[in-house]
Amino acid sequence: MNTPIYSGIITNYVCTAACRHCMFASSPALPKEYISREMAERLARLLRKAGTDSVHIGGGEPFMDFEALTTLIACLNDQGIGIDYIETNAFWCKNEDFARKRLTHLRSLGVETIMVSVDPFHIEYIPLERPIRLCQLLRESGFDYFVWKERYLRMLSRLDRTRTYSHQELKDILGEDYVTETAREYGLGMNGRALGIAKDLFPRCPAEHWLSNSPCGSIGDTAHCHLDLYGNIVPSGCPGLSAKAEDYLNEAFPADRYPVLSRLATGGTTALFNYAREKGFTPDPAGYPSRCSLCYAMRVFLLEMAPSQDLAPVCFYRGMEAVT
């Protein structure tokens, strides 16, 4: 069994924001489903069996169900698995007393580090005063924390901290190309909802340009992956693809259950392209800006015409349409 090393747990896919760069295409419209105690216990045992020492926790927005979050942490504690950090957009940091109580509880569970998200994408949904308040409280409470990314906290501080900003307002303030410039500065892996940014950053090439017989490297990267609330593992950089956690860690992708993953894992995009063509897929004559863009287009087609267990979670594909 392979060992997840730089891995995370997705407590939920629903989020208070629908950011333009979101890897997992989270949004408020996604199902309000959260990791259960039973699943948390199962994943913690599996990680311990696999030899994992620590994980980070994210979403979606994990603080949307604080009880589910703290239950997960307790289950990981029971198996001796540490928490590298917890990701949050700080939407919940409206009231200092309320926030302090949450931080005190997290501290009692052994949590030491919080990652606070701040950038031009989040400010469409989260007033800047909330992550700033959270950072202050984290300092006062003795937590380690880091802002992702720090430069945006400084850059956006000149705006009104009490309100959110529309896409058009941000264009007026930061420039017409702020989305693509932020993506460049972020060093985004252009997947998930960031595929919509990729088409403005890179030239389109015919589908054949992106075909490769080499196995997709992301599929085989068992060290860096995400375990989700449904008991699946999402390969690093491949949202919308998943396999049951035990199968993934054993790199067991039988074609009858995982027709997409199995082809990408053995024959790369060429194998998946041939499979999709058999099902009736016609590539866009305008081309694609990246190999991942072509892969995503094929998966959207297959989800409709030949759905399979590995095209999951389905809510990811719904969430991809949340931002225009």
Side-chain angles (χ1 to χ4, degrees):
M1 178 178 286
N2 291 297
T3 301
I5 301 172
Y6 309 107
S7 298
I9 296 181
I10 301 168
T11 59
N12 48 281
Y13 285 104
V14 66
C15 187
T16 55
C19 296
R20 298 173 186 278
H21 67 315
C22 183
M23 173 66 76
F24 297 111
S26 296
S27 82
L30 267 57
K32 292 179 172 59
E33 298 174 351
Y34 305 89
I35 194 166
S36 66
R37 175 180 291 276
E38 293 74 20
M39 183 58 70
E41 291 173 344
R42 177 187 154 197
L43 293 182
R45 288 194 299 268
L46 179 63
L47 288 167
R48 172 46 55 210
K49 181 180 178 182
T52 299
D53 294 322
S54 62
V55 295
H56 62 270
I57 298 175
E61 170 51 58
F63 280 80
M64 288 184 72
D65 190 324
F66 191 64
E67 182 177 355
L69 171 60
T70 54
T71 297
L72 169 62
I73 295 168
C75 292
L76 292 168
N77 284 344
D78 288 345
Q79 295 296 325
I81 298 170
I83 309 299
D84 296 324
Y85 57 88
I86 304 174
E87 302 171 1
T88 184
N89 63 29
F91 84 94
W92 51 277
C93 200
K94 304 175 186 178
N95 176 278
E96 287 193 8
D97 289 339
F98 175 80
R100 280 197 184 93
K101 288 178 182 178
R102 285 192 160 188
L103 294 178
T104 298
H105 189 32
L106 290 175
R107 175 63 85 189
S108 73
L109 292 171
V111 176
E112 297 181 349
T113 307
I114 304 291
M115 187 197 92
V116 185
S117 297
V118 178
D119 54 54
F121 302 133
H122 279 89
I123 205 171
E124 289 189 61
Y125 303 94
I126 312 296
L128 193 61
E129 66 176 1
R130 297 186 193 177
I132 288 175
R133 181 180 297 122
L134 178 56
C135 290
Q136 292 171 340
L137 294 175
L138 288 167
R139 284 195 298 272
E140 293 172 8
S141 303
F143 277 82
D144 289 330
Y145 73 93
F146 60 100
V147 177
W148 193 260
K149 286 191 171 185
E150 184 79 32
R151 71 176 307 275
Y152 294 119
L153 184 60
R154 297 191 298 271
M155 182 180 80
L156 298 172
S157 291
R158 58 191 173 92
L159 304 181
D160 184 346
R161 300 179 180 184
T162 65
R163 50 167 290 213
T164 58
Y165 284 80
S166 70
H167 182 43
Q168 185 57 54
E169 286 179 312
L170 290 170
K171 280 186 175 182
D172 295 340
I173 296 167
L174 302 176
E176 284 288 326
D177 59 350
Y178 87 90
V179 171
T180 54
E181 285 304 306
T182 301
R184 283 194 184 96
E185 293 171 7
Y186 236 124
L188 285 177
M190 290 296 172
N191 220 318
R193 205 178 280 131
L195 287 174
I197 303 174
K199 70 181 189 298
D200 296 324
L201 274 175
F202 310 117
R204 291 174 178 260
C205 297
E208 290 74 15
H209 175 81
W210 300 114
L211 299 184
S212 171
N213 296 317
S214 299
C216 176
S218 296
I219 303 299
D221 183 9
T222 52
H224 184 192
C225 56
H226 289 84
L227 299 86
D228 75 7
L229 65 153
Y230 304 121
N232 295 326
I233 285 184
V234 181
S236 173
C238 293
L241 274 177
S242 61
K244 289 299 179 186
E246 293 84 354
D247 290 341
Y248 187 85
L249 293 179
N250 288 299
E251 296 185 74
F253 305 130
D256 58 334
R257 281 192 291 148
Y258 304 123
V260 177
L261 272 172
S262 63
R263 285 168 172 81
L264 287 171
T266 57
T269 47
T270 297
L272 182 59
F273 184 75
N274 292 337
Y275 174 67
R277 289 296 295 266
E278 290 172 7
K279 301 296 182 181
F281 175 73
T282 301
D284 187 342
Y288 302 89
S290 69
R291 182 171 284 110
C292 291
S293 295
L294 170 61
C295 181
Y296 173 72
M298 293 190 287
R299 289 188 279 126
V300 169
F301 172 82
L302 290 169
L303 183 64
E304 178 68 23
M305 302 305 296
S308 54
Q309 181 175 329
D310 46 5
L311 294 174
V314 174
C315 67
F316 164 79
Y317 296 93
R318 287 171 43 198
M320 286 289 284
E321 307 303 322
V323 173
T324 57

